[in-house]
Amino acid sequence: MAALRYAGLDDTDSEDELPPGWEERTTKDGWVYYAKQLFLCPGTDEAEAVEVGHLLQGMGIHTEEKTQWEHPKTGKRKRVAGDLPYGWEQETDENGQVFFVDHINKRTTYLDPRLAFTVDDSPTKPSSRQRYDGSTTAMEILQGRDFSGKVVVVTGANSGIGFETAKSFALHGAHVILACRNMARASEAVSRILEEWVSA
């Protein structure tokens, strides 16, 4: 690795370029994973991983393969987008590894022709629980939601939390029923909500 650094070969403009010894592969359903062949030299005190070419496999040196979903440099997960190009077919060899057949040019390859068009796949899944604190408004909680065709009943809707909740539901398309003890204050709250709805 020091020799590569000295020669300037480890420096690259692309963050997606794989480090030496790594391969980019795909599963049958289009997920990208990364593999690295580790060659273990017999006769050493410790099983020492040595980065060498595939030529050593034919010399009886035991190999192991390290695989991972994340890109070794960027840590991002990827998947291929779309179908195979016209004339291509996906098959599996006797070892269970996916390969691709180009019927037009009559050749096979283990590289997925769609790898040039991968898309990032965020490993974080949206949480069903969102955390809000005391300064969070009802508008922030309902942001991006459409309540058209929904009926909402809000008690105490003429002031405070009830008013803000009723206003937020109304501005998000809901039919809001204000349940209040004082009819005059309820009418005033409706007027304030309608003013904001017209100006929005």
Side-chain angles (χ1 to χ4, degrees), residues 81-159:
D83 297 326
L84 287 168
Y86 175 76
W88 285 82
E89 181 182 10
Q90 178 177 310
E91 294 186 14
T92 307
D93 66 11
E94 62 275 359
N95 297 327
Q97 193 168 357
V98 175
F99 70 98
F100 301 89
V101 180
D102 179 359
H103 292 290
I104 295 171
N105 296 314
K106 299 189 180 4
R107 63 186 178 132
T108 62
T109 179
Y110 284 94
L111 291 175
D112 190 326
R114 302 169 294 176
L115 281 174
F117 307 103
T118 58
V119 293
D120 287 344
D121 187 69
S122 176
T124 58
K125 295 181 179 156
S127 172
S128 60
R129 279 185 60 196
Q130 293 183 345
R131 296 187 183 178
Y132 302 106
D133 60 15
S135 64
T136 306
T137 65
M139 291 296 284
E140 291 171 337
I141 292 171
L142 297 179
Q143 183 177 358
R145 300 202 174 127
D146 182 19
F147 288 93
S148 299
K150 306 284 184 191
V151 177
V152 178
V153 178
V154 181
T155 59
N158 61 313
S159 64

Side-chain angles (χ1 to χ4, degrees), residues 161-173:
I161 294 172
F163 174 76
E164 291 298 323
T165 303
K167 177 178 75 171
S168 299
F169 276 119
L171 292 175
H172 284 87

Side-chain angles (χ1 to χ4, degrees), residues 7-8 17 22 28 33 36 43 74 82 96 98 108 126 135 137 143 157 194:
E17 188 171 329
W22 285 90
K28 282 186 176 185
Y33 70 98
K36 180 177 184 175
T74 65
V98 175
T108 62
S135 64
T137 65
Q143 183 177 358
L194 288 174

